[in-house]
Amino acid sequence: MKTSSKASNVLSGIDHNTTKLGDLRNIAKDIKKDHDLALELWSSGLYLPRQLAILIMDKKKITQEFIDSLTKDIEEHQQAEKTQLMDWLMANQLAKDKQTVALMESWRDSGFALQRRVFWYHQARQRWVGQTPPPNTEYLLAMIENGITNEVPEVQWAMNFTAAQIGIFEPKYRARCIALGERTGLYKDEVVSRNCTPNYLPKFITMQVAKLKI
């Protein structure tokens, strides 16, 4: 794609070493919605311009086909950028429209690991944002118990995170979620920085329940 002068100006103002996420939000606030510009920024293949592109996309033009194309592009990034871009897409676009929420909720068996990750992260998010948990907890927990050890790492993390949120915010399932962590041993030996919450379910759930006093 030939880069317009508008896109070139935006790209010249983004520095991989100094530009922060808050800076991108400020740039997006000035641009507002500009889907064509978003596509130009996305075509750069660069991490920060793609984050900015996500912020200024037109949600009315985000279809499953379009998301599949974005997902294929995102898969070319290194691991940390990959998950950040997909989570950023979920939080800033997909979670804000009923049609794209419905798409996310259809991705449990998607052929794209990143879309399966979004399915689970979305389910977790519905719990920790303070909403009443959806009535699908039993179904989700059974799926996690039966499939978490067979998933790829990025999806496995999201499934584990969902189990953690279920255990924290739905007391009737707490012991079951803790037992899941004990049985799988996932993240048990993970070393985390001081004051950070570990991913190991027994510790994760216990610490958060004590912190939130629930």
Side-chain angles (χ1 to χ4, degrees):
M1 179 183 292
K2 185 178 180 180
T3 305
S4 67
S5 59
K6 185 175 183 179
S8 295
N9 288 336
V10 173
L11 288 168
S12 67
I14 299 174
D15 187 295
H16 182 75
N17 295 312
T18 61
T19 302
K20 308 298 182 185
L21 293 184
D23 300 326
L24 294 180
R25 288 195 180 278
N26 288 333
I27 296 171
K29 186 176 180 180
D30 290 336
I31 296 172
K32 298 183 173 59
K33 180 170 60 181
D34 191 330
H35 198 74
D36 289 338
L37 176 58
L39 294 180
E40 286 194 81
L41 296 177
W42 189 268
S43 70
S44 72
L46 300 173
Y47 176 56
L48 291 180
R50 283 185 166 180
Q51 286 193 303
L52 176 57
I54 288 170
L55 294 177
I56 62 173
M57 288 175 180
D58 183 351
K59 65 182 181 181
K60 294 180 181 178
K61 296 182 179 181
I62 298 179
T63 63
Q64 181 65 61
E65 183 179 10
F66 180 65
I67 296 168
D68 287 349
S69 178
L70 297 183
T71 303
K72 290 176 183 177
D73 290 339
I74 291 172
E75 286 180 337
E76 297 175 358
H77 287 259
Q78 60 176 317
Q79 187 64 30
E81 291 184 356
K82 199 161 59 165
T83 53
Q84 178 64 36
L85 281 169
M86 204 67 187
D87 293 349
W88 189 256
L89 178 63
M90 181 197 75
N92 292 285
Q93 288 289 351
L94 305 182
K96 295 186 175 183
D97 184 80
K98 290 182 178 179
Q99 291 187 341
T100 46
V101 166
L103 291 178
M104 286 194 292
E105 292 176 343
S106 73
W107 291 345
R108 184 176 70 84
D109 297 315
S110 171
F112 294 105
L114 287 173
Q115 290 184 11
R116 298 198 302 278
R117 173 191 168 90
V118 167
F119 169 85
W120 288 107
Y121 196 17
H122 169 65
Q123 295 298 329
R125 192 171 184 269
Q126 291 186 86
R127 289 158 171 84
W128 62 258
V129 295
Q131 300 176 18
T132 301
N136 62 347
T137 298
E138 183 66 38
Y139 164 78
L140 292 178
L141 197 49
M143 292 297 101
I144 295 170
E145 289 169 332
N146 291 328
I148 191 169
T149 57
N150 297 320
E151 261 294 5
V152 296
E154 58 263 42
V155 183
Q156 195 172 70
W157 176 88
M159 294 174 81
N160 189 79
F161 188 66
T162 300
Q165 302 312 307
I166 290 172
I168 293 164
F169 294 105
E170 299 181 72
K172 64 182 287 188
Y173 295 105
R174 190 166 293 161
R176 186 172 165 185
C177 292
I178 290 173
L180 170 64
E182 293 172 339
R183 176 174 61 81
T184 64
L186 287 171
Y187 311 107
K188 185 176 182 178
D189 299 323
E190 179 185 49
V191 177
V192 298
S193 301
R194 186 177 179 182
N195 298 322
C196 289
T197 304
N199 285 305
Y200 181 50
L201 286 176
K203 291 182 178 179
F204 192 150
I205 294 168
T206 302
M207 290 174 63
Q208 289 301 306
V209 168
K211 183 185 295 185
L212 299 172
K213 298 179 181 180
I214 53 179

